[in-house]
Amino acid sequence: MNLTGKVIVVTGAANGQGAAEAVALAKHGAAVIATDLGDEPAWIGETDAPLEYSRLDVAVEADWQALAAHIRSRHGTVHGLVNNAGITNRARLNDIDLASFRHVMDVNLTGSLLGIQAISPLMVDGGSIVLVGSVAAVTGHYPVAYTVSKWAVRGLARVASLELGPLGIRVNIIHPGFIKTAMTASAPAAYIEHTLAETPLGRLGEVADVAPMVSFLMSDESAYISGAEIPIDGGQSAHAGMKRLSDLARE
Ligand code: NAD
């Protein structure tokens, strides 16, 4: 995949999947603008990949406007946006407090909307946007705020692919399964055990399982793919709870 000449923004790029995606995109030749909440993470200075860093809270409209102004003056245009930043909250239906629910929606959903609104007007024909859903976006998962936010991001991806397609801008959404990052580091042992039992490929995911798909979706090799939902979950979401039945029947 040759991404030479493409300017690509990645949100939530200080850690986890976003960091791996930013590095992979840069290694394929893109000029990557990695963004996240804090100061520039140390690893950016240590990598030989051509990355620049900007502080950006995806839930703050003014931050997006500042980034758009920076891109306009420094790069003129932008070819890709990876709306990766996200947070979780494991509270259940009757336990979630309103402030926490709104915060998850602000970051996961509103952040994705603000990103599209700020960046897509700077995009050229051939632009590509990747939103990040989850297995929680395709199932009735128990963490209510996270699940609702990710289902809504799915809807946003569909609307954006419809609206931006005529401008030559593609919009797709990936649905990672359990990926080993800071977000999942605190997952209870029972959760990990269950995930492994429900994953046909029989292992948890790594950031290196996700980054190549993002690079592909940013590249011209995926030029006719838009409005797609792509699970990266070892098969977890494909069997609708039937794996346990299948395993029991085999026994
Ligand atoms: P992570 O916690 O390692 O990284 C998330 C990054 O987002 C962090 O660097 C964090 O600082 C940043 N972030 C949080 N709030 C932000 C904000 N308001 N503005 C800008 N940046 C912000 O988690 P990850 O696993 O790399 O998650 C990346 C994406 O993948 C998220 O959207 C997450 O919901 C999704 N996802 C993760 C998993 C998994 O198993 N890890 C599964 C499905 C989906």
Side-chain angles (χ1 to χ4, degrees):
M1 281 168 284
N2 184 2
L3 300 176
T4 306
K6 291 190 188 290
V7 177
I8 300 176
V9 175
V10 182
T11 68
N15 301 286
Q17 295 174 62
E21 289 155 8
V23 170
L25 292 165
K27 288 195 167 159
H28 286 297
V32 175
I33 306 170
T35 68
D36 209 305
L37 287 175
D39 293 336
E40 180 170 318
W43 66 262
I44 287 195
E46 291 156 12
T47 178
D48 50 6
L51 289 157
E52 62 173 291
Y53 181 81
S54 277
R55 205 200 62 78
L56 174 125
D57 181 336
V58 293
V60 175
E61 194 172 10
D63 283 9
W64 280 109
Q65 284 163 1
L67 180 68
H70 165 74
I71 292 170
R72 208 176 286 114
S73 67
R74 177 158 178 175
H75 301 280
T77 189
V78 63
H79 306 82
L81 169 64
V82 184
N83 263 325
N84 160 79
I87 56 172
T88 192
N89 183 309
R90 298 203 177 97
R92 303 177 80 121
L93 184 65
N94 285 339
D95 299 325
I96 189 93
D97 63 90
L98 187 56
S100 301
F101 185 85
R102 284 184 169 149
H103 184 48
V104 173
M105 297 298 278
D106 274 353
V107 175
N108 294 0
L109 174 60
T110 311
S112 297
L113 173 72
L114 292 174
I116 292 170
Q117 289 181 328
I119 300 301
S120 67
L122 298 174
M123 280 186 165
V124 289
D125 189 352
S128 174
I129 296 171
V130 169
L131 302 187
V132 178
S134 167
V135 163
V138 297
T139 59
H141 202 27
Y142 69 84
V144 61
Y146 187 73
T147 302
V148 170
S149 73
K150 293 295 189 179
W151 274 83
V153 170
R154 250 178 111 182
L156 176 64
R158 296 286 181 108
V159 172
S161 74
L162 177 70
E163 289 282 335
L164 301 176
L167 304 174
I169 299 169
R170 300 179 293 108
V171 185
N172 295 288
I173 183 166
I174 57 170
H175 294 305
F178 188 113
I179 308 297
K180 287 188 256 174
T181 66
M183 182 177 281
T184 46
S186 60
Y191 188 98
I192 294 173
E193 191 185 326
H194 173 80
T195 302
L196 281 169
E198 292 299 317
T199 302
L201 287 184
R203 67 171 176 86
L204 302 175
E206 311 279 347
V207 296
D209 291 314
V210 181
M213 176 55 70
V214 171
S215 295
F216 172 66
L217 291 172
M218 285 291 124
S219 78
D220 294 340
E221 287 166 66
S222 57
Y224 202 51
I225 300 176
S226 191
E229 303 200 22
I230 301 169
I232 307 172
D233 65 359
Q236 187 190 353
S237 63
H239 56 77
M242 288 297 153
K243 182 168 182 300
R244 185 165 155 69
L245 175 61
S246 168
D247 291 347
L248 286 171
R250 189 184 297 119
E251 282 163 22

